[in-house]
Amino acid sequence: MITTLITVAAIAWLSQLVLGGWQLHQFNRAFDALCQKGRVGIGRSGGRFKPRVVVAIALDEHNRVCDSLMLRGLTIFARPVKIPAINGTPLQQLQPDVIFPHDSRCQNALSLALKLKHG
């Protein structure tokens, strides 16, 4: 009985590692593609036991959103998706509370992504 529990726990742990690595690989590929399109801002919100949200936006030379990426979820099954509602919008006109009126974590992540780092 104990051996079975240890075996099941080990299989679950290894599955978590493999699927987590796969999720990270998919996000990195999507993020690399986003970085090829222009300057990128990224923001993250969420807590330890709340679904996390990562938002990345790419801006063209005219400070308009040319592409975006959002990863939202609590599990390893979350996949990066695009935010088509903000494509073509000037940076100054982006309002997180209008784009995500009912999701404070998405609003927070987008507002952090809008503060581009200069370095």
Side-chain angles (χ1 to χ4, degrees):
M1 172 87 171
I2 298 288
T3 306
T4 304
L5 285 174
I6 292 173
T7 303
V8 168
I11 290 171
W13 181 67
L14 288 173
S15 298
Q16 172 74 23
L17 286 176
V18 169
L19 292 171
W22 184 55
Q23 181 186 40
L24 185 62
H25 176 71
Q26 285 202 318
F27 178 79
N28 284 338
R29 281 185 35 203
F31 187 71
D32 286 342
L34 195 67
C35 289
Q36 300 298 319
K37 296 181 179 182
R39 294 183 312 145
V40 174
I42 190 164
R44 178 181 68 93
S45 71
R48 186 169 191 87
F49 297 109
K50 294 180 183 176
R52 292 187 182 200
V53 177
V54 177
V55 173
I57 57 169
L59 301 173
D60 63 11
E61 61 274 357
H62 304 293
N63 277 340
R64 289 185 176 271
V65 177
C66 59
D67 203 359
S68 60
L69 170 66
M70 179 170 61
L71 181 68
R72 172 171 61 183
L74 187 62
T75 68
I76 54 175
F77 299 111
R79 296 287 161 249
V81 296
K82 298 198 179 290
I83 312 169
I86 64 174
N87 283 354
T89 307
L91 180 64
Q92 296 78 14
Q93 293 180 6
L94 285 174
Q95 297 177 345
D97 56 335
V98 173
I99 297 166
F100 300 110
H102 304 293
D103 195 340
S104 62
R105 286 185 296 272
C106 288
Q107 290 174 8
N108 187 29
L110 181 57
S111 66
L112 291 172
L114 295 176
K115 298 173 184 167
L116 299 173
K117 302 274 191 236
H118 299 286

